[in-house]
Amino acid sequence: MHLSANQPLGTPTWIDLGIPDLDRAMAFYRALFGWEFDIGPAETGHYTTCLLDGKRAAAIMPNPDPAATDFWWNVYLAADDCDATVARVRAAGGTVLAEPMDVMDQGRMAIVKDPVGAQFGLWQGNKHIGAEVVNEPSSLLRNDLVTPDAPLARPFYAAVFDFTLDANPDLPDLDFTFLRRPDGHEIGGIAGDPTATKSSWGTLFQVDDCHAAVERVVAAGGTADAVQEMVYGNTAAVTDPFGVTFDIGSPPSA
C-alpha cells in the first residue's frame, strides 16, 4: 500500500532505529529486505532513509550515545496535533521523554512513555508524512504492544487515541486486545504476557516467504527463531546483528 497523506490519529506512521554501526546495519537490512538508503548529512546525525522502490519505508541512524547497549525499532503514532496529544498522554498517566519539537519543515514530534513503561513517538507530519509504503513485502505490517500489565495499558491508549478495545475471538486463550480507531480500522493490539520482562512496542515486517526470509537473516549475520504457523500467517522472531528484535511475517501456507 502506497501512502501520500498523513494518517489518522494513533495510526503507526513511522519507524526508526538507532544503532552503533550504520554501514553494518545497511548491509543487514539490504540483504533482508532489499532496501536502498539515502544517507542524511552530518547535521541530521546521518539520519538515513530506507527506501523500498523509491518510497520511504523506515529510517536508520548511528546512535548518538556511544555507551548505549540497548537498541530497538521505535514506532511513531500519528498525531493531528502533537502538543494536544502530549497533553492527553500526561492526563492519562503517561510521561514525556522529549517535548514536542519541530524537525525542520518535515513535521513535529515527541517521545513519550505509557503507564507500563513502553516508549513510542508521536509524529505530526508536514513535508514528511511518515512511511510511504506499508503492508507490502519488505515494509511495516503492524505494531503490537507486549506487556505484563495489559489492564493498565488498555485504558491509556483508549483515552489518548480514542481507540476501542476489542477481544480476540480467534485466539481465546491469549490475552490480546485489538486497538481500533473510531473509524473501525485496526492499528495493532495489546498482548498481555506475564512472562515479559518489560513493556515494549514490537515491529512486524511483511515478507513474501517467512522461511526464505529467515535464511536471509542468518546469512546476513542475524539470528531467527523457528517459523511459527498461526491462523493469521507464518511468523518468526528475528534478532539483527545489534541485538534488535523484531518479527517477520508472511501469509498463511497454502
Side-chain angles (χ1 to χ4, degrees):
M1 177 187 298
H2 289 183
L3 303 173
S4 59
N6 290 319
Q7 297 304 294
L9 177 68
T11 310
T13 189
W14 188 238
I15 49 173
D16 61 15
L17 170 66
I19 35 72
D21 186 336
L22 179 60
D23 288 338
R24 181 73 184 89
M26 290 191 297
F28 175 82
Y29 287 99
R30 181 185 294 113
L32 176 55
F33 295 132
W35 287 345
E36 297 177 340
F37 303 96
D38 181 10
I39 302 174
E43 55 264 32
T44 69
H46 297 298
Y47 194 80
T48 297
T49 303
C50 310
L51 301 170
L52 181 63
D53 297 327
K55 302 289 186 180
R56 286 193 297 263
I60 302 173
M61 68 178 294
N63 191 298
D65 180 3
T69 58
D70 188 19
F71 314 107
W72 62 91
W73 279 104
N74 191 48
V75 60
Y76 296 78
L77 305 183
D80 303 323
D81 182 328
C82 189
D83 297 74
T85 305
V86 163
R88 297 180 78 170
V89 166
R90 283 196 170 99
T95 56
V96 180
L97 302 181
E99 295 286 348
M101 69 187 83
D102 289 325
V103 183
M104 298 174 288
D105 59 356
Q106 301 298 293
R108 191 163 175 80
M109 66 166 284
I111 303 293
V112 302
K113 273 190 177 181
D114 68 16
V116 296
Q119 176 178 316
F120 62 95
L122 298 170
W123 182 252
Q124 178 184 345
N126 185 16
K127 290 190 174 180
H128 191 311
I129 64 165
E132 296 174 313
V133 55
V134 296
N135 302 348
E136 292 184 7
S138 298
S139 71
L140 177 65
L141 181 61
R142 67 180 291 122
N143 301 92
D144 294 306
L145 172 65
V146 179
T147 175
D149 198 358
L152 182 59
R154 288 192 288 261
F156 169 82
Y157 288 95
V160 174
F161 298 107
D162 301 324
F163 292 150
T164 56
L165 307 170
D166 299 319
N168 184 0
D170 293 329
L171 298 169
D173 295 332
L174 295 182
D175 179 5
F176 188 88
T177 304
F178 290 110
L179 299 175
R180 292 191 170 98
R181 299 184 317 219
D183 63 3
H185 178 82
E186 177 192 333
I187 68 94
I190 298 175
D193 181 358
T195 69
T197 57
K198 64 178 181 178
S199 300
S200 60
W201 277 91
T203 296
L204 172 65
F205 294 97
Q206 185 171 334
V207 293
D208 278 321
D209 182 324
C210 208
H211 293 277
V214 162
E215 292 180 0
R216 294 197 300 274
V217 166
V218 174
T223 60
D225 293 344
V227 175
Q228 302 292 315
E229 297 193 3
M230 302 177 63
V231 62
Y232 299 116
N234 300 332
T235 65
V238 168
T239 304
D240 78 3
F242 308 101
V244 177
T245 58
F246 58 95
D247 294 295
I248 54 175
S250 60
S253 300

